[in-house]
Amino acid sequence: MTKDHAEIYVKTKISQINSLKKDLNNNFNDMDLENADVRDKFEELVKDINLKLSKLKDDLETLKFEDV
């Protein structure tokens, strides 16, 4: 894989992470959860997923590639 291909691949993955986070948040906000306990658990789960996705995105953004 060339440096250019690797950079494009990482940018694509970052874009997919951004889309996933947006869809996750939109789907959670669209849920009609009347049970407060269930809503709280889902909210905690969504926050945890968002944190992990943000960490993954940050890790990907720090990658540096060299020509070989």
Side-chain angles (χ1 to χ4, degrees):
M1 180 180 281
T2 67
K3 177 183 175 184
D4 290 340
H5 287 117
E7 289 172 347
I8 291 169
Y9 179 81
V10 168
K11 286 179 184 177
T12 300
K13 293 302 165 192
I14 289 171
S15 177
Q16 290 171 339
I17 290 170
N18 289 333
S19 293
L20 179 59
K21 287 177 68 175
K22 181 181 176 184
D23 289 345
L24 176 67
N25 291 324
N26 287 341
N27 287 338
F28 174 70
N29 291 330
D30 288 344
M31 294 172 95
D32 186 20
L33 298 173
E34 294 179 14
N35 184 317
D37 288 338
V38 172
R39 180 167 181 77
D40 290 346
K41 288 180 183 179
F42 266 99
E43 185 174 20
E44 183 178 323
L45 183 61
V46 168
K47 284 181 182 179
D48 185 48
I49 293 169
N50 273 310
L51 285 173
K52 289 178 180 178
L53 288 172
S54 292
K55 171 76 170 104
L56 177 59
K57 179 182 167 189
D58 291 344
D59 289 347
L60 289 171
E61 288 175 336
T62 62
L63 290 176
K64 303 291 183 218
F65 299 98
E66 297 178 5
D67 288 319
V68 287

